[in-house]
Amino acid sequence: GQQVQQSPTSLVLQEGENAELQCNFSTSLNSMQWFYQRPGGSLISVFYNPSGTKQSGRLTSTTVIKERRSSLHISSSQITDSGTYLCASASSGSWQLIFGSGTQLTVMP
Amino acid sequence: EAAVTQSPRNKVTVTGGNVTLSCRQTNSHNYMYWYRQDTGHGLRLIHYSYGAGNLQIGDVPDGYKATRTTQEDFFLLLELASPSQTSLYFCASSENSGNTLYFGEGSRLIVV
């Protein structure tokens, strides 16, 4: 089945710096989502991006199917961006999402 | 935006105890899910349902039962709670399989 690897495991930035989060998949994928989890809190969908590039404000997601990877770019990071970012993917022929273990982002003032 | 509400938010029970976690979604989504989140394991699917009266087994179903009583309500039951079930539980819904998931706020369960 699908396995999802996220990197880095944790990341500390100064406010204003950019962040690049990576997600790699073991098999071909047909669904790909990024979620943001507040410290100790709920998960919020950030992107549904099975292929190509999508942008929302300071966030950009790029999924390259043939390379089995997706990235989340955060530009001009803010303290409120701190939290955990999880990616999830379903392999071809399946709908079930498999989650990565997340990247814990800390943005310092 | 979809609204998914879980209760209780926090629960402490003893080993062997009986626990019911409740979830209600108000966007008429077909699919509902129960996940558990543990350090080092990410989110793992326990049970899911694609409609009232339907129940499907996820990846880690042992020790859990679930019931979808209505389109809106999905319950997770632990009839003989064990310390290994100490976890953060999330309910989620989606319009159909493979669509964007909408999560509840989570229910933290501690089994002592």
Side-chain angles (χ1 to χ4, degrees), chain A residues 31-47:
Chain A
S31 175
M32 195 282 144
Q33 300 184 37
W34 282 95
F35 296 89
Y36 165 70
Q37 185 172 23
R38 291 188 293 264
S42 182
L43 288 85
I44 301 168
S45 178
V46 177
F47 283 110

Side-chain angles (χ1 to χ4, degrees), chain B residues 25-61:
Chain B
Q25 56 97 2
T26 58
N27 262 29
S28 300
H29 284 171
N30 293 314
Y31 281 73
M32 295 186 75
Y33 314 81
W34 277 107
Y35 290 90
R36 60 177 290 174
Q37 185 177 34
D38 305 287
T39 303
H41 289 281
L43 273 84
R44 293 180 290 175
L45 182 63
I46 305 170
H47 289 296
Y48 68 99
S49 165
Y50 54 72
N54 175 264
L55 180 64
Q56 303 293 321
I57 294 172
D59 295 326
V60 289

Side-chain angles (χ1 to χ4, degrees), chain A residues 6-88:
Chain A
Q6 286 192 247
S7 61
T9 304
S10 62
L11 183 61
V12 180
L13 300 175
Q14 291 296 124
E15 194 172 16
E17 291 183 325
N18 298 332
E20 187 85 9
L21 283 57
Q22 299 288 343
C23 196
N24 291 281
F25 312 101
S26 61
T27 66
S28 58
L29 58 103
N30 69 359
S31 175
M32 195 282 144
Q33 300 184 37
W34 282 95
F35 296 89
Y36 165 70
Q37 185 172 23
R38 291 188 293 264
S42 182
L43 288 85
I44 301 168
S45 178
V46 177
F47 283 110
Y48 177 84
N49 185 20
S51 67
T53 298
K54 290 189 175 182
Q55 183 175 1
S56 175
R58 296 181 293 106
L59 303 180
T60 303
S61 170
T62 299
T63 299
V64 183
I65 296 174
K66 62 181 180 180
E67 296 180 10
R68 299 178 183 174
R69 61 176 178 85
S70 182
S71 64
L72 179 66
H73 182 84
I74 305 173
S75 62
S76 303
S77 62
Q78 300 177 0
I79 295 171
T80 52
D81 293 331
S82 297
T84 301
Y85 292 81
L86 298 105
C87 65

